[in-house]
Amino acid sequence: MKAVYTELHRSHDPQFFLVRGVVKRTTEQPERADRLLKGLKDGRHQLVEPKIFGQGPRARVHSPEYLSFLSEAWDAWTALGDSGPEMIGNIHPVRHAATYPTHIVGKLGWHTADTAAPIGPGTWAAACAATDVAVTAAQMVMDGEDAVYALCRPPGHHAYRDMAGGFCFLNNSAIAAAHLRQKHERVVILDVDVHHGNGTQGIFYARPDVYTISIHADPVAYYPYVWGYAHERGEGPGLGTNLNIPLPIGTGDDGYMQALDLARKAIESFAPGALVVALGLDASEHDPLKGLAVTTPGFRRIGQAIAKLGLPTVLVQEGGYLSDILGANLTSVLAGFEEAR
């Protein structure tokens, strides 16, 4: 399996992370990519540079106001004269009878769901590069590759049409799916990250052509807390094309595979032409965010089960944070996929 990657992700190096009132260094660090690259090297995967697709694929998913905000945010922030080293909102309007703000501080609050997506001088460039990685992988699959892995950083599945959150700015998995829709009538996004893919769900919630499925730690006690419950099934034309499978905190390999089998049945019933896997590796028993307890052999089983769906597949990197086993987990899931194909 080929893997798409660019060094341009390094321009995004966030520092701020607020956890239960305590400020810490974020777990979404450039070193994540180094460990994932080690996993690709160990699996002998060929690295491919992304092509530049420009704003078009992003504009299929994100609003014009949001893209404009992200592209201009840092310059507007520094022009304030007394601003901090990262952009972190101090307001988060609920948007009931609200007016879209013109001030950068107001826009920052409007376009961020939480404080876990600090914007720095290189964030926009890195986020755009990540979408090019995802779209390149999708285009390769459209052109005949059976499956391609996209090493996207920053990740994307918490990003809504017009809001950043949870380390995410542009929704790479959603953008890949929208690109695949140019060829395929129906596409599935299967999110195996430990966190619910709330942004992806929100983007496609009223659409019948993209089925969003998320297997994740139960949000009753885990981020994002207010999205990701089993009763959330879509709305309007999209009713029935969203499936959430929340799992008890600490669920291990066997429980995870049972959930994945439920997802398999739903995917087969939908009969898509292509699959996007939002490949979080943070369900690992060794991940610092401690939600589920999947082992390295368990990731191999996950890869095998996904491969058996027999669909053209784009695997887009989402979460998976700094642990000694991060690279090995990537090697394992991709090896499992290749074995079952």
PDB file of all heavy atoms in Angstrom, residues 9-46:
ATOM      1  N   HIS A   9       3.507  19.587   7.278  1.00  0.00           N
ATOM      2  CA  HIS A   9       2.741  19.558   8.534  1.00  0.00           C
ATOM      3  C   HIS A   9       3.495  20.223   9.675  1.00  0.00           C
ATOM      4  O   HIS A   9       2.888  20.674  10.656  1.00  0.00           O
ATOM      5  CB  HIS A   9       2.407  18.109   8.916  1.00  0.00           C
ATOM      6  CG  HIS A   9       3.569  17.349   9.481  1.00  0.00           C
ATOM      7  ND1 HIS A   9       3.834  17.333  10.844  1.00  0.00           N
ATOM      8  CD2 HIS A   9       4.541  16.615   8.898  1.00  0.00           C
ATOM      9  CE1 HIS A   9       4.917  16.602  11.067  1.00  0.00           C
ATOM     10  NE2 HIS A   9       5.367  16.159   9.902  1.00  0.00           N
ATOM     11  N   ARG A  10       4.827  20.265   9.583  1.00  0.00           N
ATOM     12  CA  ARG A  10       5.647  20.739  10.712  1.00  0.00           C
ATOM     13  C   ARG A  10       5.423  22.210  11.033  1.00  0.00           C
ATOM     14  O   ARG A  10       5.790  22.670  12.131  1.00  0.00           O
ATOM     15  CB  ARG A  10       7.125  20.472  10.441  1.00  0.00           C
ATOM     16  CG  ARG A  10       7.447  18.986  10.354  1.00  0.00           C
ATOM     17  CD  ARG A  10       8.929  18.706  10.296  1.00  0.00           C
ATOM     18  NE  ARG A  10       9.149  17.295  10.023  1.00  0.00           N
ATOM     19  CZ  ARG A  10       9.069  16.324  10.934  1.00  0.00           C
ATOM     20  NH1 ARG A  10       8.790  16.634  12.190  1.00  0.00           N
ATOM     21  NH2 ARG A  10       9.276  15.063  10.597  1.00  0.00           N
ATOM     22  N   SER A  11       4.836  22.970  10.116  1.00  0.00           N
ATOM     23  CA  SER A  11       4.597  24.391  10.412  1.00  0.00           C
ATOM     24  C   SER A  11       3.513  24.581  11.474  1.00  0.00           C
ATOM     25  O   SER A  11       3.379  25.674  12.032  1.00  0.00           O
ATOM     26  CB  SER A  11       4.205  25.142   9.134  1.00  0.00           C
ATOM     27  OG  SER A  11       2.935  24.738   8.657  1.00  0.00           O
ATOM     28  N   HIS A  12       2.750  23.515  11.769  1.00  0.00           N
ATOM     29  CA  HIS A  12       1.745  23.577  12.836  1.00  0.00           C
ATOM     30  C   HIS A  12       2.328  22.883  14.064  1.00  0.00           C
ATOM     31  O   HIS A  12       2.480  21.666  14.097  1.00  0.00           O
ATOM     32  CB  HIS A  12       0.467  22.878  12.391  1.00  0.00           C
ATOM     33  CG  HIS A  12      -0.594  22.801  13.451  1.00  0.00           C
ATOM     34  ND1 HIS A  12      -1.160  23.922  14.026  1.00  0.00           N
ATOM     35  CD2 HIS A  12      -1.193  21.731  14.051  1.00  0.00           C
ATOM     36  CE1 HIS A  12      -2.067  23.556  14.919  1.00  0.00           C
ATOM     37  NE2 HIS A  12      -2.093  22.231  14.956  1.00  0.00           N
ATOM     38  N   ASP A  13       2.667  23.677  15.067  1.00  0.00           N
ATOM     39  CA  ASP A  13       3.289  23.137  16.282  1.00  0.00           C
ATOM     40  C   ASP A  13       2.605  23.740  17.508  1.00  0.00           C
ATOM     41  O   ASP A  13       3.154  24.582  18.214  1.00  0.00           O
ATOM     42  CB  ASP A  13       4.788  23.462  16.295  1.00  0.00           C
ATOM     43  CG  ASP A  13       5.525  22.762  17.432  1.00  0.00           C
ATOM     44  OD1 ASP A  13       4.922  21.899  18.105  1.00  0.00           O
ATOM     45  OD2 ASP A  13       6.711  23.087  17.640  1.00  0.00           O
ATOM     46  N   PRO A  14       1.364  23.316  17.791  1.00  0.00           N
ATOM     47  CA  PRO A  14       0.594  23.910  18.881  1.00  0.00           C
ATOM     48  C   PRO A  14       1.184  23.581  20.245  1.00  0.00           C
ATOM     49  O   PRO A  14       1.819  22.539  20.437  1.00  0.00           O
ATOM     50  CB  PRO A  14      -0.795  23.290  18.709  1.00  0.00           C
ATOM     51  CG  PRO A  14      -0.528  21.973  18.057  1.00  0.00           C
ATOM     52  CD  PRO A  14       0.640  22.209  17.136  1.00  0.00           C
ATOM     53  N   GLN A  15       0.942  24.458  21.203  1.00  0.00           N
ATOM     54  CA  GLN A  15       1.475  24.289  22.557  1.00  0.00           C
ATOM     55  C   GLN A  15       0.370  24.132  23.602  1.00  0.00           C
ATOM     56  O   GLN A  15       0.496  23.340  24.526  1.00  0.00           O
ATOM     57  CB  GLN A  15       2.346  25.499  22.915  1.00  0.00           C
ATOM     58  CG  GLN A  15       3.484  25.754  21.953  1.00  0.00           C
ATOM     59  CD  GLN A  15       4.512  24.650  21.927  1.00  0.00           C
ATOM     60  OE1 GLN A  15       4.963  24.195  22.986  1.00  0.00           O
ATOM     61  NE2 GLN A  15       4.882  24.197  20.742  1.00  0.00           N
ATOM     62  N   PHE A  16      -0.699  24.886  23.465  1.00  0.00           N
ATOM     63  CA  PHE A  16      -1.714  25.011  24.523  1.00  0.00           C
ATOM     64  C   PHE A  16      -2.701  23.853  24.492  1.00  0.00           C
ATOM     65  O   PHE A  16      -3.241  23.496  23.451  1.00  0.00           O
ATOM     66  CB  PHE A  16      -2.466  26.327  24.347  1.00  0.00           C
ATOM     67  CG  PHE A  16      -3.524  26.599  25.386  1.00  0.00           C
ATOM     68  CD1 PHE A  16      -3.218  27.323  26.528  1.00  0.00           C
ATOM     69  CD2 PHE A  16      -4.825  26.137  25.227  1.00  0.00           C
ATOM     70  CE1 PHE A  16      -4.190  27.598  27.487  1.00  0.00           C
ATOM     71  CE2 PHE A  16      -5.806  26.392  26.175  1.00  0.00           C
ATOM     72  CZ  PHE A  16      -5.487  27.122  27.318  1.00  0.00           C
ATOM     73  N   PHE A  17      -2.972  23.277  25.667  1.00  0.00           N
ATOM     74  CA  PHE A  17      -3.997  22.242  25.815  1.00  0.00           C
ATOM     75  C   PHE A  17      -4.554  22.349  27.231  1.00  0.00           C
ATOM     76  O   PHE A  17      -3.823  22.196  28.205  1.00  0.00           O
ATOM     77  CB  PHE A  17      -3.388  20.860  25.564  1.00  0.00           C
ATOM     78  CG  PHE A  17      -4.385  19.727  25.488  1.00  0.00           C
ATOM     79  CD1 PHE A  17      -5.666  19.917  25.004  1.00  0.00           C
ATOM     80  CD2 PHE A  17      -4.022  18.453  25.890  1.00  0.00           C
ATOM     81  CE1 PHE A  17      -6.574  18.877  24.917  1.00  0.00           C
ATOM     82  CE2 PHE A  17      -4.917  17.394  25.807  1.00  0.00           C
ATOM     83  CZ  PHE A  17      -6.200  17.614  25.316  1.00  0.00           C
ATOM     84  N   LEU A  18      -5.839  22.645  27.337  1.00  0.00           N
ATOM     85  CA  LEU A  18      -6.487  22.815  28.636  1.00  0.00           C
ATOM     86  C   LEU A  18      -7.207  21.526  29.008  1.00  0.00           C
ATOM     87  O   LEU A  18      -8.124  21.088  28.311  1.00  0.00           O
ATOM     88  CB  LEU A  18      -7.487  23.973  28.569  1.00  0.00           C
ATOM     89  CG  LEU A  18      -8.177  24.363  29.874  1.00  0.00           C
ATOM     90  CD1 LEU A  18      -7.161  24.888  30.889  1.00  0.00           C
ATOM     91  CD2 LEU A  18      -9.258  25.422  29.602  1.00  0.00           C
ATOM     92  N   VAL A  19      -6.763  20.898  30.103  1.00  0.00           N
ATOM     93  CA  VAL A  19      -7.340  19.626  30.545  1.00  0.00           C
ATOM     94  C   VAL A  19      -7.826  19.783  31.981  1.00  0.00           C
ATOM     95  O   VAL A  19      -7.033  19.920  32.913  1.00  0.00           O
ATOM     96  CB  VAL A  19      -6.297  18.487  30.479  1.00  0.00           C
ATOM     97  CG1 VAL A  19      -6.928  17.158  30.876  1.00  0.00           C
ATOM     98  CG2 VAL A  19      -5.698  18.389  29.087  1.00  0.00           C
ATOM     99  N   ARG A  20      -9.151  19.803  32.171  1.00  0.00           N
ATOM    100  CA  ARG A  20      -9.751  19.929  33.498  1.00  0.00           C
ATOM    101  C   ARG A  20      -9.176  21.109  34.274  1.00  0.00           C
ATOM    102  O   ARG A  20      -8.845  21.016  35.464  1.00  0.00           O
ATOM    103  CB  ARG A  20      -9.596  18.621  34.273  1.00  0.00           C
ATOM    104  CG  ARG A  20     -10.294  17.452  33.590  1.00  0.00           C
ATOM    105  CD  ARG A  20     -10.161  16.158  34.337  1.00  0.00           C
ATOM    106  NE  ARG A  20     -10.817  15.073  33.609  1.00  0.00           N
ATOM    107  CZ  ARG A  20     -10.839  13.805  34.005  1.00  0.00           C
ATOM    108  NH1 ARG A  20     -10.254  13.462  35.134  1.00  0.00           N
ATOM    109  NH2 ARG A  20     -11.450  12.893  33.276  1.00  0.00           N
ATOM    110  N   GLY A  21      -9.020  22.222  33.571  1.00  0.00           N
ATOM    111  CA  GLY A  21      -8.535  23.435  34.195  1.00  0.00           C
ATOM    112  C   GLY A  21      -7.030  23.556  34.296  1.00  0.00           C
ATOM    113  O   GLY A  21      -6.520  24.556  34.788  1.00  0.00           O
ATOM    114  N   VAL A  22      -6.303  22.546  33.813  1.00  0.00           N
ATOM    115  CA  VAL A  22      -4.842  22.549  33.869  1.00  0.00           C
ATOM    116  C   VAL A  22      -4.293  22.747  32.457  1.00  0.00           C
ATOM    117  O   VAL A  22      -4.668  22.020  31.531  1.00  0.00           O
ATOM    118  CB  VAL A  22      -4.304  21.229  34.458  1.00  0.00           C
ATOM    119  CG1 VAL A  22      -2.777  21.244  34.489  1.00  0.00           C
ATOM    120  CG2 VAL A  22      -4.870  20.996  35.853  1.00  0.00           C
ATOM    121  N   VAL A  23      -3.405  23.719  32.273  1.00  0.00           N
ATOM    122  CA  VAL A  23      -2.780  23.959  30.976  1.00  0.00           C
ATOM    123  C   VAL A  23      -1.585  23.037  30.818  1.00  0.00           C
ATOM    124  O   VAL A  23      -0.684  23.011  31.664  1.00  0.00           O
ATOM    125  CB  VAL A  23      -2.344  25.431  30.831  1.00  0.00           C
ATOM    126  CG1 VAL A  23      -1.622  25.638  29.507  1.00  0.00           C
ATOM    127  CG2 VAL A  23      -3.552  26.351  30.924  1.00  0.00           C
ATOM    128  N   LYS A  24      -1.592  22.260  29.723  1.00  0.00           N
ATOM    129  CA  LYS A  24      -0.507  21.321  29.443  1.00  0.00           C
ATOM    130  C   LYS A  24      -0.019  21.516  28.015  1.00  0.00           C
ATOM    131  O   LYS A  24      -0.650  22.204  27.218  1.00  0.00           O
ATOM    132  CB  LYS A  24      -1.004  19.872  29.610  1.00  0.00           C
ATOM    133  CG  LYS A  24      -1.532  19.541  31.000  1.00  0.00           C
ATOM    134  CD  LYS A  24      -1.979  18.081  31.055  1.00  0.00           C
ATOM    135  CE  LYS A  24      -2.480  17.716  32.451  1.00  0.00           C
ATOM    136  NZ  LYS A  24      -2.896  16.288  32.531  1.00  0.00           N
ATOM    137  N   ARG A  25       1.089  20.898  27.674  1.00  0.00           N
ATOM    138  CA  ARG A  25       1.534  20.843  26.283  1.00  0.00           C
ATOM    139  C   ARG A  25       0.579  19.898  25.541  1.00  0.00           C
ATOM    140  O   ARG A  25       0.259  18.815  26.018  1.00  0.00           O
ATOM    141  CB  ARG A  25       2.965  20.320  26.202  1.00  0.00           C
ATOM    142  CG  ARG A  25       3.440  20.010  24.768  1.00  0.00           C
ATOM    143  CD  ARG A  25       3.848  21.254  24.016  1.00  0.00           C
ATOM    144  NE  ARG A  25       3.994  21.013  22.573  1.00  0.00           N
ATOM    145  CZ  ARG A  25       5.092  20.516  21.999  1.00  0.00           C
ATOM    146  NH1 ARG A  25       6.137  20.167  22.740  1.00  0.00           N
ATOM    147  NH2 ARG A  25       5.152  20.362  20.683  1.00  0.00           N
ATOM    148  N   THR A  26       0.127  20.303  24.360  1.00  0.00           N
ATOM    149  CA  THR A  26      -0.798  19.476  23.611  1.00  0.00           C
ATOM    150  C   THR A  26      -0.175  18.130  23.234  1.00  0.00           C
ATOM    151  O   THR A  26       1.048  18.016  23.076  1.00  0.00           O
ATOM    152  CB  THR A  26      -1.277  20.195  22.341  1.00  0.00           C
ATOM    153  OG1 THR A  26      -2.215  19.372  21.661  1.00  0.00           O
ATOM    154  CG2 THR A  26      -0.118  20.478  21.404  1.00  0.00           C
ATOM    155  N   THR A  27      -1.024  17.136  23.080  1.00  0.00           N
ATOM    156  CA  THR A  27      -0.559  15.822  22.637  1.00  0.00           C
ATOM    157  C   THR A  27      -0.487  15.739  21.112  1.00  0.00           C
ATOM    158  O   THR A  27       0.006  14.758  20.570  1.00  0.00           O
ATOM    159  CB  THR A  27      -1.499  14.713  23.157  1.00  0.00           C
ATOM    160  OG1 THR A  27      -2.842  15.050  22.804  1.00  0.00           O
ATOM    161  CG2 THR A  27      -1.401  14.588  24.661  1.00  0.00           C
ATOM    162  N   GLU A  28      -0.990  16.773  20.407  1.00  0.00           N
ATOM    163  CA  GLU A  28      -0.977  16.773  18.944  1.00  0.00           C
ATOM    164  C   GLU A  28       0.285  17.487  18.474  1.00  0.00           C
ATOM    165  O   GLU A  28       0.252  18.642  18.047  1.00  0.00           O
ATOM    166  CB  GLU A  28      -2.246  17.459  18.413  1.00  0.00           C
ATOM    167  CG  GLU A  28      -2.710  16.952  17.050  1.00  0.00           C
ATOM    168  CD  GLU A  28      -1.756  17.252  15.932  1.00  0.00           C
ATOM    169  OE1 GLU A  28      -1.762  18.388  15.431  1.00  0.00           O
ATOM    170  OE2 GLU A  28      -0.985  16.340  15.545  1.00  0.00           O
ATOM    171  N   GLN A  29       1.409  16.792  18.548  1.00  0.00           N
ATOM    172  CA  GLN A  29       2.722  17.366  18.270  1.00  0.00           C
ATOM    173  C   GLN A  29       3.289  16.847  16.944  1.00  0.00           C
ATOM    174  O   GLN A  29       2.936  15.750  16.499  1.00  0.00           O
ATOM    175  CB  GLN A  29       3.687  17.003  19.397  1.00  0.00           C
ATOM    176  CG  GLN A  29       3.267  17.476  20.774  1.00  0.00           C
ATOM    177  CD  GLN A  29       4.168  16.945  21.872  1.00  0.00           C
ATOM    178  OE1 GLN A  29       5.328  16.599  21.631  1.00  0.00           O
ATOM    179  NE2 GLN A  29       3.647  16.876  23.090  1.00  0.00           N
ATOM    180  N   PRO A  30       4.210  17.599  16.311  1.00  0.00           N
ATOM    181  CA  PRO A  30       4.841  17.118  15.078  1.00  0.00           C
ATOM    182  C   PRO A  30       5.503  15.751  15.226  1.00  0.00           C
ATOM    183  O   PRO A  30       5.582  14.995  14.246  1.00  0.00           O
ATOM    184  CB  PRO A  30       5.878  18.210  14.774  1.00  0.00           C
ATOM    185  CG  PRO A  30       5.293  19.451  15.376  1.00  0.00           C
ATOM    186  CD  PRO A  30       4.608  18.986  16.630  1.00  0.00           C
ATOM    187  N   GLU A  31       5.958  15.430  16.430  1.00  0.00           N
ATOM    188  CA  GLU A  31       6.612  14.134  16.654  1.00  0.00           C
ATOM    189  C   GLU A  31       5.692  12.960  16.337  1.00  0.00           C
ATOM    190  O   GLU A  31       6.156  11.855  16.035  1.00  0.00           O
ATOM    191  CB  GLU A  31       7.112  14.034  18.095  1.00  0.00           C
ATOM    192  CG  GLU A  31       7.950  12.796  18.352  1.00  0.00           C
ATOM    193  CD  GLU A  31       8.391  12.665  19.792  1.00  0.00           C
ATOM    194  OE1 GLU A  31       8.314  13.656  20.544  1.00  0.00           O
ATOM    195  OE2 GLU A  31       8.802  11.560  20.173  1.00  0.00           O
ATOM    196  N   ARG A  32       4.369  13.193  16.418  1.00  0.00           N
ATOM    197  CA  ARG A  32       3.429  12.131  16.033  1.00  0.00           C
ATOM    198  C   ARG A  32       3.752  11.600  14.638  1.00  0.00           C
ATOM    199  O   ARG A  32       3.753  10.395  14.396  1.00  0.00           O
ATOM    200  CB  ARG A  32       1.989  12.653  16.018  1.00  0.00           C
ATOM    201  CG  ARG A  32       1.389  13.004  17.340  1.00  0.00           C
ATOM    202  CD  ARG A  32      -0.051  13.480  17.134  1.00  0.00           C
ATOM    203  NE  ARG A  32      -0.860  12.447  16.513  1.00  0.00           N
ATOM    204  CZ  ARG A  32      -1.629  12.635  15.445  1.00  0.00           C
ATOM    205  NH1 ARG A  32      -1.699  13.810  14.870  1.00  0.00           N
ATOM    206  NH2 ARG A  32      -2.339  11.641  14.963  1.00  0.00           N
ATOM    207  N   ALA A  33       3.985  12.530  13.705  1.00  0.00           N
ATOM    208  CA  ALA A  33       4.248  12.129  12.322  1.00  0.00           C
ATOM    209  C   ALA A  33       5.549  11.342  12.213  1.00  0.00           C
ATOM    210  O   ALA A  33       5.641  10.395  11.419  1.00  0.00           O
ATOM    211  CB  ALA A  33       4.281  13.355  11.414  1.00  0.00           C
ATOM    212  N   ASP A  34       6.558  11.711  13.008  1.00  0.00           N
ATOM    213  CA  ASP A  34       7.820  10.972  12.976  1.00  0.00           C
ATOM    214  C   ASP A  34       7.612   9.513  13.389  1.00  0.00           C
ATOM    215  O   ASP A  34       8.173   8.596  12.775  1.00  0.00           O
ATOM    216  CB  ASP A  34       8.840  11.633  13.905  1.00  0.00           C
ATOM    217  CG  ASP A  34       9.200  13.041  13.460  1.00  0.00           C
ATOM    218  OD1 ASP A  34       9.135  13.312  12.243  1.00  0.00           O
ATOM    219  OD2 ASP A  34       9.527  13.872  14.333  1.00  0.00           O
ATOM    220  N   ARG A  35       6.792   9.318  14.402  1.00  0.00           N
ATOM    221  CA  ARG A  35       6.540   7.949  14.860  1.00  0.00           C
ATOM    222  C   ARG A  35       5.693   7.175  13.853  1.00  0.00           C
ATOM    223  O   ARG A  35       5.904   5.970  13.649  1.00  0.00           O
ATOM    224  CB  ARG A  35       5.886   7.974  16.237  1.00  0.00           C
ATOM    225  CG  ARG A  35       6.769   8.665  17.269  1.00  0.00           C
ATOM    226  CD  ARG A  35       6.331   8.417  18.686  1.00  0.00           C
ATOM    227  NE  ARG A  35       7.138   9.182  19.628  1.00  0.00           N
ATOM    228  CZ  ARG A  35       7.226   8.926  20.923  1.00  0.00           C
ATOM    229  NH1 ARG A  35       6.553   7.911  21.451  1.00  0.00           N
ATOM    230  NH2 ARG A  35       7.977   9.672  21.718  1.00  0.00           N
ATOM    231  N   LEU A  36       4.761   7.861  13.211  1.00  0.00           N
ATOM    232  CA  LEU A  36       3.965   7.207  12.174  1.00  0.00           C
ATOM    233  C   LEU A  36       4.826   6.887  10.953  1.00  0.00           C
ATOM    234  O   LEU A  36       4.666   5.822  10.329  1.00  0.00           O
ATOM    235  CB  LEU A  36       2.791   8.099  11.782  1.00  0.00           C
ATOM    236  CG  LEU A  36       1.736   8.298  12.881  1.00  0.00           C
ATOM    237  CD1 LEU A  36       0.801   9.446  12.520  1.00  0.00           C
ATOM    238  CD2 LEU A  36       0.942   7.014  13.126  1.00  0.00           C
ATOM    239  N   LEU A  37       5.746   7.770  10.606  1.00  0.00           N
ATOM    240  CA  LEU A  37       6.667   7.499   9.504  1.00  0.00           C
ATOM    241  C   LEU A  37       7.531   6.276   9.787  1.00  0.00           C
ATOM    242  O   LEU A  37       7.819   5.484   8.886  1.00  0.00           O
ATOM    243  CB  LEU A  37       7.560   8.717   9.250  1.00  0.00           C
ATOM    244  CG  LEU A  37       6.928   9.869   8.480  1.00  0.00           C
ATOM    245  CD1 LEU A  37       7.854  11.086   8.513  1.00  0.00           C
ATOM    246  CD2 LEU A  37       6.647   9.468   7.040  1.00  0.00           C
ATOM    247  N   LYS A  38       7.938   6.126  11.040  1.00  0.00           N
ATOM    248  CA  LYS A  38       8.698   4.922  11.428  1.00  0.00           C
ATOM    249  C   LYS A  38       7.853   3.675  11.183  1.00  0.00           C
ATOM    250  O   LYS A  38       8.344   2.649  10.693  1.00  0.00           O
ATOM    251  CB  LYS A  38       9.082   5.020  12.901  1.00  0.00           C
ATOM    252  CG  LYS A  38       9.732   3.773  13.514  1.00  0.00           C
ATOM    253  CD  LYS A  38      11.117   3.531  12.979  1.00  0.00           C
ATOM    254  CE  LYS A  38      11.913   2.549  13.840  1.00  0.00           C
ATOM    255  NZ  LYS A  38      11.245   1.274  14.112  1.00  0.00           N
ATOM    256  N   GLY A  39       6.552   3.758  11.495  1.00  0.00           N
ATOM    257  CA  GLY A  39       5.664   2.638  11.239  1.00  0.00           C
ATOM    258  C   GLY A  39       5.548   2.324   9.756  1.00  0.00           C
ATOM    259  O   GLY A  39       5.497   1.153   9.354  1.00  0.00           O
ATOM    260  N   LEU A  40       5.515   3.360   8.926  1.00  0.00           N
ATOM    261  CA  LEU A  40       5.459   3.150   7.478  1.00  0.00           C
ATOM    262  C   LEU A  40       6.750   2.533   6.961  1.00  0.00           C
ATOM    263  O   LEU A  40       6.740   1.644   6.101  1.00  0.00           O
ATOM    264  CB  LEU A  40       5.191   4.471   6.764  1.00  0.00           C
ATOM    265  CG  LEU A  40       3.809   5.094   6.981  1.00  0.00           C
ATOM    266  CD1 LEU A  40       3.736   6.466   6.329  1.00  0.00           C
ATOM    267  CD2 LEU A  40       2.704   4.190   6.444  1.00  0.00           C
ATOM    268  N   LYS A  41       7.881   2.992   7.486  1.00  0.00           N
ATOM    269  CA  LYS A  41       9.165   2.441   7.079  1.00  0.00           C
ATOM    270  C   LYS A  41       9.263   0.971   7.459  1.00  0.00           C
ATOM    271  O   LYS A  41       9.705   0.133   6.650  1.00  0.00           O
ATOM    272  CB  LYS A  41      10.305   3.229   7.737  1.00  0.00           C
ATOM    273  CG  LYS A  41      11.692   2.738   7.364  1.00  0.00           C
ATOM    274  CD  LYS A  41      12.784   3.571   8.028  1.00  0.00           C
ATOM    275  CE  LYS A  41      14.170   3.051   7.663  1.00  0.00           C
ATOM    276  NZ  LYS A  41      15.240   3.851   8.339  1.00  0.00           N
ATOM    277  N   ASP A  42       8.821   0.639   8.671  1.00  0.00           N
ATOM    278  CA  ASP A  42       8.871  -0.755   9.111  1.00  0.00           C
ATOM    279  C   ASP A  42       7.966  -1.643   8.256  1.00  0.00           C
ATOM    280  O   ASP A  42       8.245  -2.835   8.079  1.00  0.00           O
ATOM    281  CB  ASP A  42       8.475  -0.860  10.586  1.00  0.00           C
ATOM    282  CG  ASP A  42       9.520  -0.256  11.521  1.00  0.00           C
ATOM    283  OD1 ASP A  42      10.657  -0.019  11.059  1.00  0.00           O
ATOM    284  OD2 ASP A  42       9.198  -0.015  12.697  1.00  0.00           O
ATOM    285  N   GLY A  43       6.894  -1.071   7.733  1.00  0.00           N
ATOM    286  CA  GLY A  43       5.991  -1.823   6.866  1.00  0.00           C
ATOM    287  C   GLY A  43       6.378  -1.765   5.397  1.00  0.00           C
ATOM    288  O   GLY A  43       5.666  -2.316   4.545  1.00  0.00           O
ATOM    289  N   ARG A  44       7.475  -1.056   5.094  1.00  0.00           N
ATOM    290  CA  ARG A  44       8.006  -0.948   3.732  1.00  0.00           C
ATOM    291  C   ARG A  44       6.989  -0.347   2.755  1.00  0.00           C
ATOM    292  O   ARG A  44       6.835  -0.799   1.624  1.00  0.00           O
ATOM    293  CB  ARG A  44       8.501  -2.314   3.231  1.00  0.00           C
ATOM    294  CG  ARG A  44       9.627  -2.890   4.091  1.00  0.00           C
ATOM    295  CD  ARG A  44      10.135  -4.205   3.560  1.00  0.00           C
ATOM    296  NE  ARG A  44      11.205  -4.737   4.412  1.00  0.00           N
ATOM    297  CZ  ARG A  44      11.850  -5.898   4.193  1.00  0.00           C
ATOM    298  NH1 ARG A  44      11.508  -6.649   3.151  1.00  0.00           N
ATOM    299  NH2 ARG A  44      12.801  -6.292   5.005  1.00  0.00           N
ATOM    300  N   HIS A  45       6.339   0.702   3.219  1.00  0.00           N
ATOM    301  CA  HIS A  45       5.367   1.387   2.375  1.00  0.00           C
ATOM    302  C   HIS A  45       6.053   2.498   1.578  1.00  0.00           C
ATOM    303  O   HIS A  45       6.864   3.250   2.123  1.00  0.00           O
ATOM    304  CB  HIS A  45       4.242   1.972   3.225  1.00  0.00           C
ATOM    305  CG  HIS A  45       3.442   0.930   3.944  1.00  0.00           C
ATOM    306  ND1 HIS A  45       2.434   0.225   3.336  1.00  0.00           N
ATOM    307  CD2 HIS A  45       3.523   0.456   5.224  1.00  0.00           C
ATOM    308  CE1 HIS A  45       1.911  -0.640   4.198  1.00  0.00           C
ATOM    309  NE2 HIS A  45       2.559  -0.517   5.347  1.00  0.00           N
ATOM    310  N   GLN A  46       5.725   2.613   0.323  1.00  0.00           N
ATOM    311  CA  GLN A  46       6.281   3.642  -0.543  1.00  0.00           C
ATOM    312  C   GLN A  46       5.632   4.984  -0.249  1.00  0.00           C
ATOM    313  O   GLN A  46       4.417   5.108  -0.252  1.00  0.00           O
ATOM    314  CB  GLN A  46       6.051   3.266  -2.014  1.00  0.00           C
ATOM    315  CG  GLN A  46       6.538   4.323  -2.992  1.00  0.00           C
ATOM    316  CD  GLN A  46       6.147   4.003  -4.430  1.00  0.00           C
ATOM    317  OE1 GLN A  46       5.756   2.879  -4.744  1.00  0.00           O
ATOM    318  NE2 GLN A  46       6.227   4.997  -5.305  1.00  0.00           N
TER     319      GLN A  46
END
